[in-house]
Amino acid sequence: DLTNIYYAKELPSYLKHRHLKHVWQEFINRPADQQLLEEVATFSAQWFQPEKNVSYSHIERELDKIAQLIMEDLKRVNPIHPIFSASCEQFSFRKYHTVEENHWDKSDGIQILDSLRKIFFSELNFRAAAYDNPKFFREYLLINYVLEEKVGKAIMLAIMFQSVARRLDIRCDLLSFPVTIASSWSQTYLLLKWQSKWNLDPDESEECYYIDVLRGETVLDNNRIWELVEPIISSDRYCRIDTFEVIIRV
């Protein structure tokens, strides 16, 4: 009868969500340095697409492929870059742990980021979705769709960019800034922050660069960022996006 048909249709989704609740509990019980944003994005894609087989191993492989393309580009540009002397263990560790400090000096780090921006935004043509697109609040928030179609919401592009950078031992913090639009309403603007040295002494300073995922590969320095955004909050740590904020946003 219709009741049995209804429950037969709804049961797979119920079982999938029940399983995912256990997956999420295991995830949030991990150490903080093993809570990766691309896993959060994959979890969200699985939750909102229970009828599909969205596997984290597939997402991992796709991100690994992008990292490999960057390595190949670096090989052409600078075959003696120190990244080619790094051990497999180093890359394996970074794949599954967040980066607290960059392994490379400033010039080597910038060269990696240059290749990453070129491959990600220009050659692969990842781009932010237009706000007036009817799919904006659906597929463009799903990491499996964004990886396939190369277009998505800014936060998805930023998470993917950050995860590839981490595979190359580059730390990029995902920051959110409140921005006033036309003096009437505000929205959150996302930037990826990079600096060659993170763990600074109180009397040290380090030049920062900001990658604007909405504008493709645009890079802003400390001066130009203030022309674009005017943060209400002054602490980078306070506006750094973490695991739970990603869940709220997607």
Side-chain angles (χ1 to χ4, degrees):
D1 59 14
L2 293 178
T3 301
N4 290 334
I5 293 174
Y6 171 80
Y7 283 115
K9 182 179 179 180
E10 295 297 319
L11 183 60
S13 295
Y14 168 78
L15 294 176
K16 183 70 170 289
H17 285 156
R18 185 175 180 179
H19 166 70
L20 287 173
K21 288 179 181 179
H22 293 290
V23 172
W24 178 250
Q25 191 62 48
E26 183 275 329
F27 177 84
I28 63 176
N29 287 334
R30 294 183 199 169
D33 68 341
Q34 296 177 33
Q35 295 181 4
L36 308 178
L37 295 187
E38 65 264 32
E39 283 198 71
V40 179
T42 303
F43 175 86
S44 297
Q46 292 168 335
W47 184 271
F48 291 111
Q49 302 170 102
E51 75 286 356
K52 290 188 177 182
N53 180 24
V54 181
S55 70
Y56 181 61
S57 59
H58 172 72
I59 303 300
E60 269 190 316
R61 287 193 298 271
E62 293 301 307
L63 296 172
D64 289 345
K65 289 178 184 177
I66 299 174
Q68 183 57 40
L69 289 174
I70 293 150
M71 292 286 284
E72 293 170 3
D73 183 71
L74 274 171
K75 192 75 171 180
R76 290 190 293 269
V77 174
N78 181 11
I80 61 172
H81 192 287
I83 197 171
F84 300 113
S85 301
S87 66
C88 294
E89 290 77 12
Q90 178 180 333
F91 288 118
S92 178
F93 182 83
R94 287 307 178 206
K95 182 176 176 179
Y96 300 109
H97 297 79
T98 57
V99 179
E100 289 301 317
E101 185 59 89
N102 290 316
H103 184 77
W104 322 108
D105 64 24
K106 185 173 182 178
S107 61
D108 292 331
I110 288 176
Q111 199 163 55
I112 294 172
L113 279 175
D114 284 344
S115 286
L116 174 49
R117 291 187 297 109
K118 180 176 72 173
I119 296 296
F120 193 86
F121 292 114
S122 297
E123 296 194 9
L124 295 178
N125 196 29
F126 280 104
R127 59 205 183 278
Y131 278 85
D132 57 356
N133 192 300
K135 293 183 178 179
F136 186 76
F137 292 107
R138 299 194 302 273
E139 286 90 342
Y140 291 159
L141 286 164
L142 305 173
I143 191 170
N144 57 308
Y145 181 90
V146 177
L147 278 166
E148 182 177 349
E149 299 298 327
K150 307 293 191 295
V151 59
K153 194 174 180 182
I155 192 168
M156 284 296 116
L157 299 181
I159 287 172
M160 290 160 50
F161 189 101
Q162 184 197 57
S163 69
V164 174
R166 192 187 70 250
R167 284 163 164 77
L168 303 170
D169 221 343
I170 290 285
R171 173 178 169 178
C172 287
D173 280 1
L174 178 52
L175 307 181
S176 63
F177 295 89
V179 181
T180 300
I181 307 296
S183 301
S184 58
W185 62 282
S186 63
Q187 68 175 34
T188 299
Y189 205 94
L190 298 173
L191 293 171
L192 286 159
K193 176 183 176 181
W194 177 83
Q195 57 193 57
S196 61
K197 186 178 180 181
W198 288 90
N199 299 316
L200 301 172
D201 294 330
D203 59 342
E204 289 184 294
S205 62
E206 181 70 23
E207 186 173 15
C208 304
Y209 296 88
Y210 299 84
I211 299 164
D212 182 359
V213 294
L214 281 177
R215 289 172 170 79
E217 56 183 299
T218 303
V219 177
L220 309 166
D221 58 21
N222 281 339
N223 295 321
R224 289 188 60 208
I225 187 175
W226 301 111
E227 300 172 6
L228 177 68
V229 297
E230 185 176 355
I232 296 174
I233 45 185
S234 60
S235 169
D236 280 349
R237 181 164 296 276
Y238 186 77
C239 61
R240 181 181 176 185
I241 292 181
D242 61 16
T243 297
F244 300 100
E245 187 169 353
V246 169
I247 281 290
I248 293 171
R249 288 172 179 270
V250 301

